[in-house]
C-alpha cells in the first residue's frame, strides 16, 4: 500500500455500494474476468470507488525502464523496448484514465512523423494503452466515447495488443488491462460490441434510506475536513483488504470448478437466453474468483449466484428499450432448477450425480433464500417490454411492436460529430483530400501531401543527399469523409384533436420505430409535446432513446391545440442544442393534424412560426394525422409548405411509410 499522504478517499470508507465494491474486487483478483461497467445516476460515488481501488491493489513487478511494463519473469519478445537487460522492480498498481475527448494518437501512441521523414528513424511515443498495460484503464462517461476510440478499445481487448500503423510503418506492443467504465444511462446507451467486452456490470443508485445517506454525508464531510486523519482511521481496514486480495490471487489457481457447477452455469445462462458463449465463460471465471475471495477451493452455489448477478444483466437478450437488470425471482428459479438434488445416503458413495466434492450442492436452506426485496427495483409491469406504457388506462394510447426503420440522412455532407447516419467530414473514414495543419494540431498526417509540400524547399534548406528536410509547416493532414450523427427532434401534437387511441397508437408506433433506428445509430433525440395551452419539452436532446420511449409511451392526449407554441418550443430547443453542439445537424419531425385551436389567430401564428423555422434552414417532415373520413381541412399540408418540409399523410401511408418519408428527406 502507498503512503497515506498519497491516498485519496479510502476504498473501505465507501458507504452503501457493496455490489460495486465486490465487482471491482473480483476483477482485481481475476483480471481475466474482463473488467467492470458501472451504470448509475450522477453523484453515486462511481468514480470515487474506482479511483480508490488502486490504493489496495498489490504492486506490479516490471522491467526497469520498460515503457510497456513488461513482466521481468516473462518479458514480451516483441516489445518495442526489447531486448530487456535491466532487472525487475516493483511499482504501485496504475490507474490510467482515458478522456472521452482523447484523440486516437493519444490512446494508441504515435510515430514522430517529422523525424521519420527527415532522419529516417522510427520513433514511437507510447499512448494510454501502453501506460495501462497490466493495470486498470478507466473511462468515465464511457457511453460518450467516440466510435473510432471504441474500435480501438475493442481491438485491444480482443487481441491483448495495441498496433499503430501509419504510412507503411507498424508498431505493436502488449496491452492487457482491466477495463473499468462508468456511465449515466440517461446520457445515452453503450455500443453493444463494447458493452459485451465488460465482464461484469453493476447498477448503482443512491440509497433512499435516510440512515445510509447520513452515513455517506458524515464520511465525506469528515474526509474533506481532515483527509490525513480520515485516511488514518481506515489504514488498518485498507491493509487487511489488500492482504485479502493477495491471498485470493494466490488461491485462485487451486479453486476447483466442478462439472456440476459448470452445468449449473450453462443452464442459468440458457435460462436467460444470452447471446454467444462469453456469458458462460465470464460467469465461470467470476464464480471461481468469488470462491477464492471467500477463501474456498471449490465453487459452490453461492459463488455461482453472485457471479450470475454481476455477469448476466447486460448480456441477456432484450429489446433495446427494455429496462436493464436481472430478475431476482427468475435467477433463483434458474438456480433451483439447475442445482443437483442432495444425494440419497442409501445410494452409496458411487452416486453418478454427486459431481465430486462440493459439486454444486449446498445447504438446502440457501436455495429458499428470498431475493433481495430491493434488488433491481423493477415491478412486474416494468419487467416486460418498455413499450407497454405506464399511464392510466383510457388516457394513453400504447404503441404496437416496432419495426425496422430505414436510414434517416441528409444529402449534403456536413462536418458533424462522428456517427452512422449522414455523410460528413470527420476524423475517421476514407481519405478525400488534405489540408494544412494549424499550429501543433493533432490528426492523421497525409504522407504524400506532406512530401509534396516539403519537396520544393529542399535546395533552400541545404538538403543535397538522401532524405528529406521536413518542417512543421510542411505537414498536411488528411481530410476524411465518414458519417455523422444527427439530432432527431419529435414535435408531437398531444391535443384532443388527434382523435382516437388507434390513430395515436399508429403515430407512437412509427416514432418508436424511428427511435429504435436512432438507438442503433447512436443519434441524439428529443421530444416536444403540445396540448392544452402550452408546449412541453418532454425530453431535452439526449442519447438515451430508452428514456424517450418511456416519455412517449406515457404521453396522454386531450385539450386544445397550441400548435404555434409547439413550433416555437421546438425552435427554442433547436436553438439551445445548436449552441451546445453546433456540429450536430437537426431533423424536425412534426406530428399533427394541422389544427390550431388555442389563442387568437392560432393557425396564422403557427404558419409564422413555421416560416421562421424554414428560414433557419431546419430540415423537417410533417406527418398529417387528420382523419381520412369526413371533411378534410388540409391544414397540415399548408403547414408543410410553410416549413419547406416533406409532407406525409399518415392515413394513406400508414406507420411504415412514415419511416420511408423521413428516410427520403433531403436538406433544402
Amino acid at each position: 500500500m502507498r503512503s497515506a499522504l498519497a491516498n485519496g478517499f479510502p476504498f473501505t470508507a465507501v458507504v452503501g455500494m457493496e455490489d460495486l465494491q465486490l465487482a471491482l474486487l473480483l476483477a482485481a483478483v481475476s483480471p481475466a474476468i474482463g473488467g467492470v461497467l458501472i451504470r448509475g445516476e450522477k453523484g453515486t460515488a462511481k468514480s470515487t470507488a474506482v479511483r480508490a481501488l488502486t490504493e489496495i491493489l498489490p504492486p506490479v513487478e516490471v522491467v526497469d525502464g520498460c515503457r510497456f511494463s513488461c513482466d521481468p519473469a516473462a518479458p514480451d519478445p516483441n516489445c518495442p523496448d526489447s531486448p530487456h537487460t535491466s532487472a525487475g522492480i516493483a511499482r504501485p498498481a496504475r490507474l490510467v484514465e482515458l478522456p472521452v475527448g482523447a484523440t486516437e494518437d493519444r490512446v494508441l501512441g504515435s510515430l514522430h512523423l517529422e523525424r521519420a521523414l527527415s532522419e529516417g528513424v522510427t520513433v514511437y511515443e507510447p499512448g494510454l494503452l501502453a501506460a495501462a498495460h497490466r493495470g486498470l484503464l478507466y473511462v468515465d462517461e464511457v457511453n460518450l466515447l467516440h466510435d473510432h476510440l471504441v474500435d480501438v478499445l475493442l481491438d485491444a481487448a480482443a487481441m491483448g495488443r495495441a498496433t499503430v500503423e501509419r504510412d507503411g510503418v507498424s508498431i505493436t506492443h502488449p496491452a492487457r488491462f482491466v477495463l473499468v467504465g462508468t456511465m449515466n444511462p440517461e446520457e445515452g446507451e453503450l455500443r453493444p460490441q463494447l458493452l459485451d467486452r465488460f465482464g461484469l456490470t453493476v447498477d448503482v443508485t443512491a440509497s433512499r434510506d435516510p440512515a445510509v445517506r447520513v452515513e455517506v454525508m458524515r464520511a465525506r464531510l469528515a474526509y474533506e475536513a481532515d483527509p490525513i486523519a480520515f485516511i488514518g482511521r481506515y489504514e488498518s481496514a485498507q491493509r487487511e483488504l489488500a492482504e485479502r486480495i493477495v491471498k485470493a490471487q494466490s488461491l485462485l489457481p487451486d479453486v476447483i470448478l466442478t462439472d456440476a457447477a459448470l452445468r449449473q452455469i450453462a443452464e442459468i445462462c440458457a435460462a436467460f437466453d444470452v447471446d454467444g458463449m462469453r456469458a458462460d465463460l465470464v460467469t465461470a471465471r467470476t464464480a471461481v474468483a468469488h470462491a477464492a475471495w471467500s477463501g474456498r477451493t471449490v465453487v459452490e452455489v453461492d459463488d455461482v449466484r453472485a457471479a450470475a448477478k454481476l455477469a448476466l444483466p447486460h448480456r441477456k437478450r432484450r429489446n433495446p428499450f427494455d429496462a436493464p437488470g436481472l430478475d431476482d425471482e427468475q435467477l433463483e428459479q434458474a438456480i433451483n432448477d439447475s442445482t443437483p438434488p442432495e444425494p440419497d445416503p442409501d445410494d452409496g458413495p458411487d452416486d453418478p450425480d454427486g459431481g465430486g466434492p462440493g459439486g454444486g450442492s449446498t445447504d438446502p436452506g440457501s436455495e429458499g433464500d428470498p431475493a433481495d426485496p430491493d434488488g433491481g427495483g423493477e415491478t412486474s409491469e416494468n419487467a416486460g417490454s418498455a413499450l407497454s406504457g405506464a399511464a392510466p388506462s383510457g388516457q394513453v394510447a400504447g404503441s404496437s411492436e416496432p419495426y425496422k426503420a430505414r436510414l434517416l440522412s441528409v444529402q449534403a455532407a456536413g462536418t458533424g460529430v462522428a456517427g452512422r447516419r449522414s455523410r460528413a467530414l470527420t476524423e475517421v473514414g476514407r481519405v478525400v483530400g488534405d489540408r494544412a495543419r494549424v499550429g501543433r494540431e493533432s490528426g492523421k498526417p497525409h504522407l504524400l501531401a506532406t512530401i509534396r509540400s516539403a519537396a520544393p524547399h529542399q535546395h533552400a534548406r541545404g538538403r543535397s543527399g538522401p532524405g528529406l528536410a521536413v518542417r512543421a509547416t510542411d505537414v498536411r493532414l488528411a481530410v476524411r469523409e465518414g458519417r455523422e450523427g444527427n439530432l432527431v427532434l419529435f414535435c408531437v401534437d398531444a391535443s384532443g384533436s388527434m382523435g382516437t387511441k388507434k390513430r395515436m397508437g399508429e403515430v407512437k408506433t412509427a416514432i418508436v420505430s424511428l427511435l429504435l433506428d436512432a438507438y442503433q445509430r447512436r443519434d441524439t433525440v428529443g421530444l416536444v409535446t403540445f396540448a392544452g395551452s402550452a408546449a412541453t419539452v418532454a425530453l431535452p436532446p439526449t442519447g438515451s432513446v430508452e428514456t424517450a420511449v418511456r416519455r412517449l409511451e406515457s404521453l396522454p392526449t386531450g385539450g386544445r391545440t397550441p400548435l404555434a407554441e409547439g413550433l416555437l418550443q421546438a425552435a427554442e430547443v433547436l436553438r439551445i442544442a445548436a449552441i451546445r453542439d453546433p456540429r450536430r445537424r437537426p431533423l424536425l419531425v412534426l406530428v399533427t393534424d394541422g389544427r390550431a385551436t388555442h389563442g387568437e389567430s392560432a393557425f396564422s401564428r403557427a404558419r409564422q412560426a413555421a416560416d421562421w423555422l424554414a428560414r433557419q434552414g431546419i430540415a423537417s417532415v410533417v406527418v398529417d394525422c387528420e382523419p381520412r373520413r369526413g371533411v378534410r381541412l388540409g391544414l397540415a399540408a399548408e403547414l408543410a409548405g410553410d416549413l419547406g418540409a416533406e409532407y406525409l399523410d399518415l392515413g394513406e401511408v400508414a406507420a411504415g411509410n412514415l419511416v420511408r418519408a423521413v428516410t427520403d428527406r433531403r436538406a433544402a
Side-chain angles (χ1 to χ4, degrees):
M1 284 179 48
R2 306 177 202 181
S3 164
L5 292 175
N7 289 359
F9 195 88
F11 188 82
T12 54
V14 176
V15 178
M17 294 294 169
E18 290 77 11
D19 287 346
L20 168 57
Q21 290 171 302
L22 177 61
L24 291 173
L25 289 169
L26 294 181
V29 170
S30 177
I33 288 173
V36 183
L37 174 66
I38 306 165
R39 297 161 47 100
E41 57 197 16
K42 301 179 292 292
T44 49
K46 301 188 296 293
S47 299
T48 299
V50 173
R51 295 189 175 100
L53 177 64
T54 54
E55 308 298 343
I56 57 174
L57 294 180
V60 179
E61 290 287 333
V62 299
V63 175
D64 189 15
C66 177
R67 297 173 297 168
F68 305 90
S69 301
C70 277
D71 186 349
D76 191 304
N78 297 318
C79 175
D81 284 353
S82 64
H84 299 97
T85 57
S86 302
I89 61 171
R91 64 158 174 78
R94 183 180 291 167
L95 174 72
V96 176
E97 298 194 33
L98 193 163
V100 294
T103 64
E104 188 173 328
D105 287 348
R106 180 74 182 94
V107 177
L108 277 174
S110 60
L111 304 180
H112 201 296
L113 181 64
E114 294 169 32
R115 291 191 62 184
L117 291 174
S118 59
E119 302 175 24
V121 296
T122 300
V123 180
Y124 175 67
E125 299 173 354
L128 297 178
L129 294 186
H133 178 52
R134 303 181 67 206
L136 278 73
L137 181 65
Y138 173 45
V139 188
D140 192 16
E141 305 294 352
V142 64
N143 52 321
L144 304 182
L145 202 64
H146 291 305
D147 277 355
H148 67 285
L149 295 184
V150 171
D151 293 337
V152 169
L153 288 183
L154 288 173
D155 289 342
M159 305 300 296
R161 306 190 67 83
T163 301
V164 180
E165 294 183 348
R166 174 170 298 157
D167 304 313
V169 180
S170 177
I171 296 290
T172 182
H173 65 80
R176 293 182 295 274
F177 46 81
V178 176
L179 180 62
V180 180
T182 54
M183 60 174 283
N184 182 354
E186 291 188 357
E187 296 176 351
E189 291 299 325
L190 192 63
R191 182 169 159 183
Q193 294 92 332
L194 183 57
L195 178 64
D196 189 51
R197 283 293 174 181
F198 284 98
L200 311 178
T201 184
V202 181
D203 285 276
V204 297
T205 57
S207 174
R208 298 300 182 256
D209 184 349
V212 175
R213 298 175 76 94
V214 167
E215 194 63 27
V216 171
M217 289 188 291
R218 182 179 288 118
R220 189 67 200 185
L221 293 174
Y223 172 76
E224 293 174 355
D226 191 344
I228 296 178
F230 183 84
I231 292 171
R233 290 200 294 271
Y234 287 90
E235 186 173 357
S236 176
Q238 292 278 99
R239 185 180 299 108
E240 291 177 2
L241 196 60
E243 292 173 355
R244 186 176 176 183
I245 292 175
V246 174
K247 291 180 181 178
Q249 289 178 335
S250 62
L251 184 61
L252 190 67
D254 299 327
V255 175
I256 299 173
L257 185 63
T258 64
D259 289 343
L262 278 172
R263 183 172 182 83
Q264 185 174 53
I265 290 171
E267 291 185 9
I268 291 173
C269 291
F272 281 96
D273 198 22
V274 299
D275 291 322
M277 290 297 300
R278 185 171 285 121
D280 304 62
L281 293 171
V282 171
T283 304
R285 292 171 184 147
T286 306
V288 171
H290 189 270
W293 177 251
S294 302
R296 294 190 291 270
T297 55
V298 177
V299 172
E300 298 181 357
V301 174
D302 286 343
D303 303 315
V304 174
R305 178 185 290 107
K309 286 184 176 181
L310 296 173
L312 299 186
H314 60 304
R315 290 193 169 90
K316 67 173 185 175
R317 186 174 298 175
R318 65 185 181 95
N319 186 289
F321 304 135
D322 286 349
L326 212 61
D327 185 275
D328 286 338
E329 292 185 4
Q330 184 182 357
L331 175 59
E332 289 302 320
Q333 184 63 48
I335 289 175
N336 292 337
D337 293 344
S338 60
T339 301
E342 287 291 314
D344 190 333
D346 295 336
D347 290 340
D350 296 327
D351 180 8
D353 295 330
S361 63
T362 186
D363 181 5
S366 67
E367 296 178 10
D369 290 345
D372 179 8
D374 295 326
E378 293 295 325
T379 64
S380 59
E381 289 82 8
N382 289 336
S385 172
L387 304 180
S388 61
S393 176
Q395 299 180 12
V396 177
S399 65
S400 302
E401 189 70 19
Y403 45 80
K404 182 175 177 58
R406 294 172 61 184
L407 176 64
L408 297 117
S409 63
V410 178
Q411 184 178 26
T415 56
V417 294
R420 303 178 190 170
R421 189 163 298 282
S422 304
R423 292 190 308 116
L425 301 178
T426 60
E427 296 178 355
V428 294
R430 63 186 183 91
V431 177
V432 295
D434 61 88
R435 62 179 179 83
R437 182 171 65 167
V438 179
R440 302 297 296 179
E441 177 186 7
S442 62
K444 295 183 178 180
H446 194 296
L447 178 59
L448 294 180
T450 299
I451 293 175
R452 284 196 299 267
S453 177
H457 308 290
Q458 298 307 296
H459 181 73
R461 294 172 183 173
R463 173 68 68 179
S464 57
L468 195 67
V470 180
R471 305 281 174 83
T473 54
D474 298 327
V475 177
R476 307 281 298 181
L477 300 183
V479 175
R480 298 175 178 272
E481 184 178 286
R483 294 280 177 177
E484 68 173 2
N486 297 105
L487 164 59
V488 183
L489 179 63
F490 294 93
C491 187
V492 181
D493 185 349
S495 69
S497 67
M498 289 295 287
T500 66
K501 289 178 60 177
K502 178 180 178 181
R503 185 158 62 253
M504 193 61 187
E506 292 177 353
V507 171
K508 287 187 177 183
T509 300
I511 297 175
V512 167
S513 300
L514 289 174
L515 287 170
L516 177 59
D517 182 68
Y519 168 85
Q520 295 167 339
R521 299 184 185 281
R522 297 177 59 82
D523 285 301
T524 298
V525 297
L527 178 62
V528 172
T529 64
F530 53 96
S533 61
T536 302
V537 181
L539 183 70
T542 176
S544 178
V545 296
E546 180 181 331
T547 303
V549 170
R550 290 199 301 267
R551 302 285 172 84
L552 177 70
E553 289 293 345
S554 62
L555 176 66
T557 57
R560 292 183 174 273
T561 311
L563 179 55
E565 285 74 10
L567 290 171
L568 292 174
Q569 184 65 75
E572 179 64 10
V573 170
L574 294 178
R575 183 188 69 83
I576 296 174
I579 295 174
R580 293 178 175 174
D581 195 356
R583 298 174 59 196
R584 191 178 293 272
R585 293 188 290 174
L587 176 64
L588 175 64
V589 180
L590 176 62
V591 184
T592 181
D593 59 5
R595 297 173 184 264
T597 59
H598 172 69
E600 296 182 1
S601 304
F603 188 67
S604 177
R605 290 189 296 110
R607 295 190 64 177
Q608 292 175 3
D611 180 68
W612 186 87
L613 280 166
R615 285 187 276 111
Q616 306 308 307
I618 304 298
S620 56
V621 175
V622 172
V623 181
D624 188 354
C625 300
E626 188 176 26
R628 292 183 58 84
R629 296 180 180 179
V631 178
R632 290 173 58 88
L633 302 179
L635 300 177
E638 294 184 39
L639 199 64
D642 295 327
L643 279 168
E646 185 79 21
Y647 170 78
L648 178 67
D649 189 313
L650 182 63
E652 292 179 351
V653 298
N657 285 343
L658 168 61
V659 179
R660 187 172 302 115
V662 178
T663 301
D664 295 338
R665 171 64 195 167
R666 295 295 181 262

